[in-house]
């Protein structure tokens, strides 16, 4: 894969305020790109026999104008179809912008010959996994992230394991796995993420059974160690403490529900 090629910076003199939107561009093949606004969602852009397909456009007018310019500069064609891995606004908030310009939102990729898709319940009750076959790239939404802790709140542990299995069953060992957020990855890294996530849940459960409070669990050395495994890029500003506390609370909820 040819990785980050360039950054695009567009300045809009709106209301005499200069707004800058930066989107990093990763070329997977002549027909498949990963576009990533700063600190945001991984967006898929594909040139297919059915037209240009855009996956998970994020919200924000300045970023959307930059994204639209980028699409035109890469494929010189408007977006025909929009796909979403799930309904959260950071993956679907740009739909309306492109629909207003004539694109069509489609619930599934069944009509698109270049894609296979699977639906699972893990991060949300309805998570779609999209495999772009010509470039062997799998977009998995927030079932998997490489710059944040796991978020398996809708499907619990069983749903998460089933979702990861569904991803592993698509494509082959050379597939590029594009998480909802963070650097693209591969199936080996995804398997590690699954292992670390299961360790996390097991460790939280053990500490809760030992009578530790959520705060004590947060400060526990083994919990801190497992948490660091969710930061493979070693980002300095990884998960702030309040978010870790919330992650523990939500993990406890999943454990109590037994899902
Ligand atoms: Zn999400």
């Amino acid at each position: 894969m040819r990785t980050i090629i360039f950054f695009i910076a567009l300045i809009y003199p709106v209301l005499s305020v200069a707004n800058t939107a930066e989107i990093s561009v990763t070329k997977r093949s002549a027909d498949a790109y990963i576009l990533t606004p700063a600190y945001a969602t991984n967006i898929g852009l594909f040139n297919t026999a059915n037209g240009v397909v855009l996956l998970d456009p994020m919200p924000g007018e300045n970023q959307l104008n930059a994204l639209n310019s980028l699409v035109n500069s890469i494929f010189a064609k408007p977006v025909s179809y929009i796909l979403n891995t799930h309904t959260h606004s950071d993956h679907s908030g740009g739909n309306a912008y492109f629909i207003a310009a004539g694109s069509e939102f489609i619930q599934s990729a069944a009509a698109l010959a270049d894609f296979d898709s699977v639906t699972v319940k893990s991060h949300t009750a309805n998570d779609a996994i999209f495999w772009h076959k010509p470039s062997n790239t799998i977009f998995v939404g927030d079932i998997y992230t490489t710059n944040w802790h796991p978020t398996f709140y809708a499907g619990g542990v069983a749903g998460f394991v089933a979702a990861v299995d569904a991803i592993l069953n698509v494509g082959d060992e050379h597939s590029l796995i594009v998480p909802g957020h963070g650097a693209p990855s591969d199936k080996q890294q995804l398997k590690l993420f699954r292992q670390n996530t299961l360790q996390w849940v097991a460790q939280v459960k053990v500490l809760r059974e030992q009578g530790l409070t959520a705060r004590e669990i947060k400060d526990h050395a083994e919990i801190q160690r497992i948490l660091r495994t969710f930061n493979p890029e070693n980002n300095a500003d990884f998960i702030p403490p309040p978010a870790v506390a919330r992650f523990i609370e939500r993990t406890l909820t999943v454990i109590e529900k037994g899902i």
Side-chain angles (χ1 to χ4, degrees), residues 86 88 90-91 123-124 142 181:
H86 61 294
H88 288 165
D90 56 331
H91 296 256
H123 174 67
T124 70
D142 292 350
H181 306 271

Side-chain angles (χ1 to χ4, degrees), residues 98-150:
F98 287 95
I99 290 167
S103 313
E104 184 187 344
F105 171 73
I106 47 174
Q107 288 283 354
S108 97
L112 303 175
D114 288 349
F115 287 86
D116 265 355
S117 61
V118 191
T119 304
V120 294
K121 178 181 176 179
S122 178
H123 174 67
T124 70
N126 196 7
D127 297 317
I129 297 160
F130 294 106
W131 177 35
H132 181 247
K133 292 180 280 185
S135 68
N136 197 6
T137 309
I138 308 172
F139 283 74
V140 304
D142 292 350
I143 296 165
Y144 177 38
T145 50
T146 57
N147 66 359
W148 194 248
H149 61 71

Side-chain angles (χ1 to χ4, degrees), residues 75-98:
F75 289 142
K77 283 191 277 191
V79 173
S80 295
Y81 296 105
I82 303 162
L83 292 170
N84 294 156
T85 55
H86 61 294
T87 58
H88 288 165
S89 66
D90 56 331
H91 296 256
S92 64
N95 289 2
Y97 177 99
F98 287 95

